[in-house]
Amino acid sequence: MKFEHTKKIKDIIARDKKVMLTTTRVGIPFIPSRANGDHIYDVSGNEFIDFSSFISVYNIRINDNAHVREAITAQINRLIHASFTDFYAEEPVTFAENLLTMFPKSFGKVFFSNSGTEANEAAIKYSKLFTKRQYTLAFYGAFHGRTQGSLGLTSSMTIHREKFGPFNSTIHVPYAYCYRCPFGKEYPSCGMACVDYIKKYPLKKEVSPKEVASIFIEPVQGEGGYIVPPKEFIQGVREIADDNGILLVADEVQSGYFRTGKFLGMSHFGVEPDIYTMAKAVGGGLPIGVTITKSSLGDVPAGAHSNTFGGNLASIAAAQAMLKYVKSNLRSIEEQAVSKGKTVMNRLNKMKDRYELIGDVRGLGLMIGVEFVKDRKTKEPARKERDEIITESFNNGLVMLPAGESTIRIIPPITISPKKLNEGLDILEAAVAKIDKHGA
Ligand SMILES: Cc1ncc(COP(=O)(O)O)c(C=O)c1O
């Protein structure tokens, strides 16, 4: 369906610009108004196919889980907020018990917040408390949030950090971005130079490993460009942590909740971290952040970390209902992420044969990135073309988000119908064909 850029849409955006402080807006005039599974409409009745899952939140059906809506309604009719962090409430405890069954047995403690960045803030502080160390190691390209602590770890674009530093207690090291190896090598003959580098340089010349509390890692780098590292990379980082008494924190805010075909992205790598952080999809549309720690790490002193809204009853009701749904549809959700992921990868790889503009296609489950380049030899990022493809697709009814310098992320809800998935891919291909100068 052709997008109709109505006066109503223009007016709302003009009003927004007047009163709202600028955020990240990707440049498409998308004003969603109502949705029910595959059917998403904006304020003017334009219909869309969604390849964004509303920024990785609607992994499972867009506003289409009646039992989630009913659970929220029932809860808010009883009590919306219980001041869980100061008083007590049963619902967050029950949810924590249920959520823990999705994690390896060694994980036994949970902290609730309202967002991904807060889940990471908690993990930064807990790591410092647990280890009595002060430094944190993170990766170039990482995105862990935009509040002052997590921003120190975020390193996907300088605009995020500009004027907010210095960030004294973080050391950044290269991620295994094999398509653009920072060491100019090729996998697998590289011998995991990126893992070696961590041992030889920062941990030898800059900071003693005895002072490093944690290493933060995204199992698949999200905002940084949808980068899937080799297994040996994550395993090598785990080894460095083990050898030096450093805690490994897996940020599953974007990769978690079945996005990669498993509940935890980390499970693909055969690695168990010490702390997990999650948010986005956990609340089925309501805000919730979760920090999950290994029982062996112990507890934290009362008052050392807390908040007002953590364990908010409405968010917990949504998260609990969503968890109940996924637990009773576990096999189907995992299979759908894997099989639809294959459909997308096959189609994108075929497109790559046809269009020079596509430099790389990579993904795990239904967490897929297409990187656009001006020239396959020089790999010069085709940022402008990437943005044009997003706009052209939007004008034909497909919502997508960028990632990294010139990547588009393909993250439809895992429950998207095969028909809509293929229609979306058709729209994307038509847009690539239009923007690509040398294609078939
Ligand atoms: C991996 C990762 N961590 C943390 C965050 C921050 O989450 P929030 O925007 O909920 O603070 C994001 C957001 O995109 C993310 O992708």
Side-chain angles (χ1 to χ4, degrees), residues 102-147:
M102 302 298 285
F103 288 82
K105 288 214 164 14
S106 49
F107 285 79
K109 288 275 192 178
V110 172
F111 173 75
F112 290 125
S113 53
N114 313 286
S115 61
T117 196
E118 287 172 82
N120 286 329
E121 292 290 341
I124 295 168
K125 288 175 70 181
Y126 292 159
S127 309
K128 290 183 178 184
L129 277 173
F130 291 143
T131 59
K132 301 185 178 61
R133 299 172 177 191
Q134 64 274 41
Y135 285 99
T136 311
L137 208 129
F139 293 91
Y140 288 120
F143 190 91
H144 297 292
R146 285 190 176 88
T147 48

Side-chain angles (χ1 to χ4, degrees), residues 41 46 93 198 202 231 279 295 355 403 419 436:
Y41 302 91
N46 288 302
V93 176
I198 302 172
K231 231 178 184 175
S295 311
Y355 307 105
K419 182 171 175 285
D436 184 87

Side-chain angles (χ1 to χ4, degrees), residues 35-70:
N36 187 307
D38 280 348
H39 304 283
I40 300 137
Y41 302 91
D42 75 0
V43 285
S44 291
N46 288 302
E47 188 173 358
F48 295 92
I49 295 169
D50 173 47
F51 274 12
S52 78
S53 49
F54 286 59
I55 337 274
S56 318
V57 168
Y58 285 124
N59 281 7
I60 319 287
R61 307 163 85 125
I62 302 177
N63 228 58
D64 186 30
N65 278 301
H67 60 287
V68 172
R69 296 198 303 264
E70 282 158 16

